[in-house]
Amino acid sequence: YNLEGAKLLEGKGYTNIEASLYDGLQVLYMSLAQYDKAIYYGEKAVSVGRILKDQNPLAVALNNLSLSYMEVDRLDKAKVVLGEALIISQTIENKSVEGSSLNNLADIAIRKGKTEVLKGYAEKSLLIHREINSMEGIAISTRCLAIYYLHQKDFVKANEYSLAALKITDEYEFLL
């Protein structure tokens, strides 16, 4: 139904609705592992989002687009859109997108083996997610810190953070 709605509204001046529909399609195709389609709709969501005065849909679409880029190993593109999502989220004070963008930057650091920047992203994200009480965000940030300490061969801290993340995921039934 989102696809039909997007086709009906495209180019008719309903940019606020179009941005959300395209982003919804992006997330749908991402969940189906159809990343080319996810990227197509993600880029459309970003393009339409740039027209809007409300920057929230743009920040969300950029953050989501980074995930699709990461899945097809376009890490540099993912990092660029995350940088923009981070700046926008800080400007409009959207802590949820800010924390999520930082977690996604931490994920890129893990994938690239750049553990020297991983800790900074994870710690900032953890502070933000604690501030807004996002248990899923806390779990992801904590897992990133566990990975950081594992790479540092600090197995005690790695274990502590791993167990903390596992406790949250079990308690809230998250799949990370």
Side-chain angles (χ1 to χ4, degrees):
Y1 294 110
N2 273 359
L3 190 54
E4 293 297 320
K7 287 178 184 176
L8 289 171
L9 294 174
E10 190 168 34
K12 296 200 170 66
Y14 297 103
T15 50
N16 57 333
I17 298 170
E18 281 182 84
S20 295
L21 281 172
Y22 292 142
D23 192 49
L25 287 166
Q26 170 182 206
V27 172
L28 171 68
Y29 283 117
M30 198 170 26
S31 72
L32 296 172
Q34 295 181 23
Y35 301 114
D36 289 341
K37 288 181 181 178
I39 290 168
Y40 173 77
Y41 285 107
E43 289 174 347
K44 284 186 81 135
V46 167
S47 179
V48 172
R50 293 190 190 290
I51 299 168
L52 301 173
K53 288 183 183 178
D54 178 6
Q55 295 290 284
N56 272 302
L58 176 58
V60 171
L62 287 163
N63 190 44
N64 288 336
L65 180 57
S66 76
L67 297 172
S68 294
Y69 283 148
M70 287 164 48
E71 288 300 328
V72 295
D73 205 33
R74 292 165 69 184
L75 301 180
D76 291 334
K77 272 196 124 166
K79 190 172 181 181
V80 169
V81 297
L82 281 170
E84 187 177 354
L86 189 58
I87 290 168
I88 293 168
S89 64
Q90 291 168 338
T91 301
I92 62 176
E93 298 180 2
N94 184 327
K95 296 288 188 182
S96 179
V97 173
E98 181 181 358
S100 181
S101 296
L102 287 165
N103 273 339
N104 292 336
L105 285 165
D107 190 8
I108 291 172
I110 291 167
R111 292 173 189 230
K112 287 187 161 193
K114 297 195 174 197
T115 55
E116 67 278 1
V117 296
L118 169 59
K119 184 180 181 188
Y121 291 138
E123 286 178 337
K124 287 178 192 172
S125 178
L126 183 58
L127 287 173
I128 291 167
H129 287 297
R130 283 183 175 155
E131 180 184 333
I132 63 173
N133 199 32
S134 167
M135 297 312 292
E136 184 175 17
I138 291 169
I140 294 168
S141 302
T142 304
R143 182 195 62 194
C144 288
L145 286 168
I147 293 168
Y148 168 77
Y149 284 111
L150 182 64
H151 281 274
Q152 298 303 306
K153 299 190 185 325
D154 186 339
F155 301 117
V156 173
K157 278 191 177 179
N159 187 52
E160 288 173 8
Y161 280 104
S162 292
L163 291 174
L166 183 60
K167 181 180 179 190
I168 294 168
T169 58
D170 283 348
E171 184 176 339
Y172 292 91
E173 299 180 2
F174 294 136
L175 298 173
L176 301 182

